């Protein structure tokens, strides 16, 4: 976790810039803090290099959810010599909050680019913010930005913790595979755990058990897949075994071949349209097709949709349209669902690498216990305080 080296508040522009690199500290030091006019070219220069010199965060007080963020860094060493002793010791006071706004501390995590705002909610069984406030926080222009907000709540019925999620549209899913990995890493951080540790987590989809390994990877026992159409849920008819496998689905005049699976939340997996051999994921108009699947009348609770390309029997590639979040870089439950679908359609073996836009996951559907296991990363990005 970094130490903020330089914090400067410019009254005329209502911007605070917190810098931790030599480049930014030097640039900020060149601007008089009491100046009534700020040379905006400096800020343009800073904003043009958000990652090359990415050791700053702009604070825009006009946003509904204003942020003061300290960013986690691993590759940059703070250069304290660039700041005067007086400035190092100074206490910075932000401008007064309007209308007695509440503050919410959070930590931002991502699992292969599927990003979440994690909130320590262990002192209450009720989420600290409403779905409407979650929508504001997830806004990437006026909030923190994220695919959802995850709350770490007290455990129930013998579990260690409980998980609640509000999507970026305010809806609440039963569970999230990438989110559960992020939550497990966050809990390990809260507990200061230094060794491999498993957690029993209660979700709306049931009991989920993630294990944080010493190398930082998280292995999650996702439980058995549910193939009962009524429980997925889908109105598509089942085959002779009662499963929806290779079923035709008319979507805006085109017939797609789909397999439906629940991993605690509904998934519709497709390897392409009827009559086509391979799905070209790069040419797929996901932003157009995804919503048509999500809101299709055959899915009364809406659905997540995975579009899959088979690279080999042990290597799959997918793009996903998530219910309530849209196109995302990764979906853990979706990766699990597509492996189940690939096995049922005899396209792949029970253990595969699944490539998502944000990176790979290792998925295994074991025969001995019928459980699906997901292995993948979860990384902390930054922590901060949002004013609501």
């Amino acid at each position: 976790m970094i130490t903020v080296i330089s914090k400067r508040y410019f009254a005329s522009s209502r911007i605070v810039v917190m810098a931790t690199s030599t480049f930014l500290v030097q640039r900020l030091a060149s601007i008089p803090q009491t100046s009534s006019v700020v040379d905006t070219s400096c800020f343009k220069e800073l904003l043009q290099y958000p990652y090359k010199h990415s050791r700053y965060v702009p604070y825009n007080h006009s946003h509904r959810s204003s942020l003061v963020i300290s960013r986690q860094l691993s590759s940059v060493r703070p250069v304290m010599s660039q700041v005067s002793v007086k400035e190092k010791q100074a206490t910075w006071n932000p401008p007064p909050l309007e209308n007695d706004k509440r503050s919410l501390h959070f930590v931002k995590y991502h699992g292969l680019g599927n990003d979440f705002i994690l909130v320590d909610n262990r002192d209450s069984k009720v989420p600290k913010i409403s779905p409407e406030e979650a929508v504001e926080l997830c806004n990437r222009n006026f909030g923190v930005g994220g695919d959802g907000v995850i709350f770490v709540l007290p455990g129930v019925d013998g579990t260690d913790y409980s998980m609640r999620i509000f999507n970026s549209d305010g809806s609440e899913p039963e569970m999230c595979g990438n989110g559960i990995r992020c939550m497990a890493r966050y809990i390990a951080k809260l507990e200061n755990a230094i060794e491999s540790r498993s957690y029993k987590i209660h979700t709306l989809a049931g009991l989920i058990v993630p294990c944080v390994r010493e190398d930082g990877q998280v292995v999650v026992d996702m439980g058995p897949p549910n193939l009962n159409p009524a429980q997925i849920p889908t109105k598509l008819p089942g085959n002779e075994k009662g499963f929806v496998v290779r079923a035709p689905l008319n979507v805006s005049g085109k017939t797609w071949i789909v397999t439906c699976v629940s991993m605690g939340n509904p998934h519709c997996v497709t390897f392409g349209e009827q009559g086509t051999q391979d799905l070209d994921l790069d040419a797929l108009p996901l932003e157009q097709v995804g919503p048509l699947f999500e809101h299709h009348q055959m899915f009364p609770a809406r659905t997540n949709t995975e579009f899959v390309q088979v690279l080999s029997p042990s290597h799959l590639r997918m793009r996903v349209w998530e219910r309530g979040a849209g196109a995302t870089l990764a979906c853990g439950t979706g990766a699990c669902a597509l492996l189940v679908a690939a096995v049922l359609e005899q396209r792949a073996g029970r253990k595969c690498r699944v490539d998502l836009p944000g990176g790979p996951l290792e998925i295994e559907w074991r025969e001995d216990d019928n459980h699906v296991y997901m292995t993948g990363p979860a990384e902390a990005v930054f922590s901060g305080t949002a004013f609501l």
Side-chain angles (χ1 to χ4, degrees), residues 22 34 76 92 128 138 142 168 187 240 244 277 325 378:
T22 305
T34 57
V76 173
W92 173 73
K128 290 185 177 181
C138 289
F142 298 101
S168 57
I187 292 171
E240 65 279 1
V244 179
Q277 188 171 359

Side-chain angles (χ1 to χ4, degrees), residues 217-231:
Q217 292 281 301
V218 183
V219 182
V220 186
D221 178 355
M222 301 290 287
N226 190 337
L227 303 175
N228 186 322
Q231 296 175 5

Side-chain angles (χ1 to χ4, degrees), residues 232-249:
I232 290 175
T234 178
K235 295 180 181 179
L236 290 170
N239 58 16
E240 65 279 1
K241 294 183 179 180
F243 306 154
V244 179
V245 177
R246 291 184 181 268
L249 177 68

Side-chain angles (χ1 to χ4, degrees), residues 47-59:
L47 293 171
Q48 285 172 354
Y49 301 93
Y51 293 102
K52 184 176 180 181
H53 305 285
S54 68
R55 313 313 176 215
Y56 79 96
V57 176
Y59 172 90

Side-chain angles (χ1 to χ4, degrees), residues 346-358:
Q346 298 182 342
R347 296 176 183 269
R350 285 181 169 264
K351 187 175 183 179
C352 286
R353 166 177 165 153
V354 178
D355 288 346
L356 304 97

Side-chain angles (χ1 to χ4, degrees), residues 5-290:
I5 298 177
S6 179
K7 304 176 185 175
R8 300 177 73 85
Y9 172 62
F10 302 96
S12 60
S13 63
R14 304 198 70 165
I15 293 179
V16 169
V17 176
M18 301 185 289
T20 59
S21 75
T22 305
F23 173 81
L24 294 183
V25 171
Q26 288 175 338
R27 298 296 289 120
L28 291 172
S30 68
I31 307 174
Q33 191 169 1
T34 57
S35 174
S36 60
V37 178
V38 176
D39 180 6
T40 58
S41 64
C42 170
F43 290 102
K44 290 180 181 178
E45 183 176 358
L46 298 181
L47 293 171
Q48 285 172 354
Y49 301 93
Y51 293 102
K52 184 176 180 181
H53 305 285
S54 68
R55 313 313 176 215
Y56 79 96
V57 176
Y59 172 90
N60 188 339
H61 188 262
S62 65
H63 287 173
R64 295 187 65 182
S65 296
S66 302
L67 308 178
V68 180
I69 301 175
S70 61
R71 186 164 185 164
Q72 182 181 19
L73 305 174
S74 59
S75 60
V76 173
R77 184 174 181 178
V79 185
M80 299 298 295
S81 61
Q82 302 299 322
V83 188
S84 66
V85 174
K86 181 178 179 180
E87 187 171 6
K88 290 181 196 176
Q89 297 175 344
T91 300
W92 173 73
N93 294 314
L97 298 178
E98 300 175 359
N99 302 323
D100 297 323
K101 291 182 179 179
R102 294 183 295 115
S103 63
L104 177 74
H105 181 72
F106 66 88
V107 181
K108 180 78 173 289
Y109 276 78
H110 81 88
L112 300 179
N114 196 191
D115 55 340
F116 302 95
I117 301 162
L118 276 293
V119 177
D120 184 356
N121 213 121
R122 293 175 294 172
D123 58 351
S124 173
K125 294 182 179 180
V126 180
K128 290 185 177 181
I129 64 172
S130 67
E132 293 75 20
E133 290 172 321
V135 172
E136 294 183 8
L137 279 181
C138 289
N139 189 295
R140 298 186 185 277
N141 296 108
F142 298 101
V144 178
D147 292 320
V149 181
I150 296 176
F151 306 91
V152 179
L153 297 100
V156 297
D157 300 328
T159 59
D160 299 311
Y161 298 95
S162 296
M163 177 189 203
R164 295 276 300 275
I165 314 171
F166 292 151
N167 282 327
S168 57
D169 70 349
S171 61
E172 182 172 8
E174 298 85 352
M175 213 280 290
C176 174
N178 286 313
I180 200 80
R181 296 201 317 276
C182 291
M183 180 174 170
R185 286 292 304 272
Y186 181 48
I187 292 171
K189 182 68 174 178
L190 292 174
E191 293 186 350
N192 295 314
I194 58 175
E195 297 180 348
S196 179
R197 170 73 196 277
S198 295
Y199 300 97
K200 295 179 180 179
I201 298 179
H202 171 76
T203 74
L204 297 182
L207 176 66
I208 302 294
V209 184
C211 176
V212 181
R213 299 193 319 206
E214 293 182 8
D215 63 359
Q217 292 281 301
V218 183
V219 182
V220 186
D221 178 355
M222 301 290 287
N226 190 337
L227 303 175
N228 186 322
Q231 296 175 5
I232 290 175
T234 178
K235 295 180 181 179
L236 290 170
N239 58 16
E240 65 279 1
K241 294 183 179 180
F243 306 154
V244 179
V245 177
R246 291 184 181 268
L249 177 68
N250 186 289
V251 179
S252 191
K254 295 183 178 180
T255 301
W256 293 76
I257 304 302
V258 303
T259 293
C260 297
V261 180
S262 173
M263 292 302 307
N265 52 359
H267 292 271
C268 174
V269 182
T270 180
F271 295 85
E273 296 178 40
Q274 189 174 53
T276 60
Q277 188 171 359
D278 295 308
L279 181 60
D280 185 353
L281 292 184
D282 295 323
L284 178 71
L286 185 60
E287 298 286 345
Q288 301 174 20
V289 178

Side-chain angles (χ1 to χ4, degrees), residues 327-338:
T328 61
L329 295 178
C331 177
T333 56
C336 295
L338 78 83

